Amino acid sequence: MPPKQQRGEATVELLLTSALRVYAEAGQQGFTVSAVTAASKVSLGSLYHHFGSFDGLAAALYIRCMEQLFDEMIVALQRSRTARTGVRALVQAYLRFTEEHRDAALFLHASAYSGYLAARAEQIKAAKAAKLAVIGAWMQPRMERGEILPVPGPLVEVLVMGPVAEAARRWLSDTYELDLGEVARILPESIWRSLRPERSESCGATGTGGGCG
């Protein structure tokens, strides 16, 4: 790799790392271009060169954190043998990421109504779609075999991600008292039940037996 390209990649990494640290320490109000350039010691011109704008930097940070979350979920999913263990693994990986990478998880959840998401909506949508496609490719044949309830992809995202994202948001907030360990004990099986085909009801609470995921 040419030295100039190496320096450019190092600057991008420094800006993204510094931006996340600034957000974690100063919150939404303190998340400003001047704070990030001061923390990173990178010039404003260099920031604009690499990201186009401060919104571009924030959107790139959001995509980076989102991809880290999905990558951990996908690894856990692809290690799973059955439909049940796969769905549970998705939920457990999301919760584990939230606990182990609190700053990134907080940035993801707090960004929901931020202007930089709207400004880079298509870019963010494409990055997320690529990750969801991998999850969909794992689930689709299991749906066809009757191991997972056959529902549209967007509904799978709602059923799996919706409850766990809300639990993570509440745990990250100062407003609620929520035990993440208790969530990890209860939520994975509860979410699996929402995707379990009706015929699995006869398999018992353990979900074992012929054809049970």
Side-chain angles (χ1 to χ4, degrees):
M1 182 185 297
K4 184 176 181 181
Q5 185 177 349
Q6 288 182 331
R7 289 194 300 272
E9 291 187 1
T11 300
V12 167
E13 177 66 23
L14 179 58
L15 282 166
L16 290 171
T17 302
S18 300
L20 184 59
R21 185 172 71 250
V22 166
Y23 192 92
E25 294 174 353
Q28 188 77 45
Q29 295 302 315
F31 186 58
T32 63
V33 66
S34 57
V36 172
T37 53
S40 64
K41 297 181 172 55
V42 173
S43 70
L44 181 62
S46 185
L47 185 153
Y48 274 65
H49 169 73
H50 289 290
F51 296 101
S53 65
F54 187 62
D55 277 355
L57 169 64
L61 179 59
Y62 181 88
I63 290 172
R64 175 181 171 133
C65 294
M66 179 188 67
E67 289 182 335
Q68 288 174 343
L69 168 60
F70 272 98
D71 285 345
E72 293 200 12
M73 292 171 66
I74 288 168
V75 167
L77 179 67
Q78 292 180 334
R79 287 175 177 166
S80 304
R81 184 177 60 84
T82 68
R84 175 175 177 264
T85 56
V87 171
R88 288 174 56 89
L90 282 174
V91 178
Q92 290 162 346
Y94 195 121
L95 294 172
R96 187 166 54 250
F97 178 90
T98 301
E99 185 173 26
E100 294 178 355
H101 305 280
R102 184 187 179 103
D103 293 349
L106 183 61
F107 184 76
L108 283 173
H109 286 274
S111 295
Y113 301 104
S114 299
Y116 47 80
L117 294 194
R120 298 290 191 280
E122 290 304 314
Q123 181 184 1
I124 291 168
K125 181 180 178 181
K128 185 177 182 181
K131 300 299 181 181
L132 288 173
V134 178
I135 295 175
W138 188 92
M139 287 194 167
Q140 185 59 38
R142 289 164 175 83
M143 288 183 181
E144 292 171 357
R145 294 197 297 265
E147 298 169 12
I148 300 177
L149 195 67
V151 295
L155 185 53
V156 171
E157 185 183 356
V158 170
L159 291 171
V160 176
M161 308 296 185
V164 69
E166 178 61 16
R169 185 187 69 80
R170 293 190 178 209
W171 183 76
L172 291 163
S173 170
D174 295 329
T175 307
Y176 304 92
E177 291 186 8
L178 195 65
D179 183 339
L180 205 63
E182 185 177 21
V183 173
R185 181 175 61 84
I186 295 172
L187 200 57
E189 188 66 20
S190 298
I191 290 176
W192 161 243
R193 290 194 195 105
S194 70
L195 286 170
R196 182 178 63 184
E198 291 182 6
R199 65 186 178 85
S200 292
E201 295 293 342
S202 62
C203 299
T206 61
T208 58
C212 301

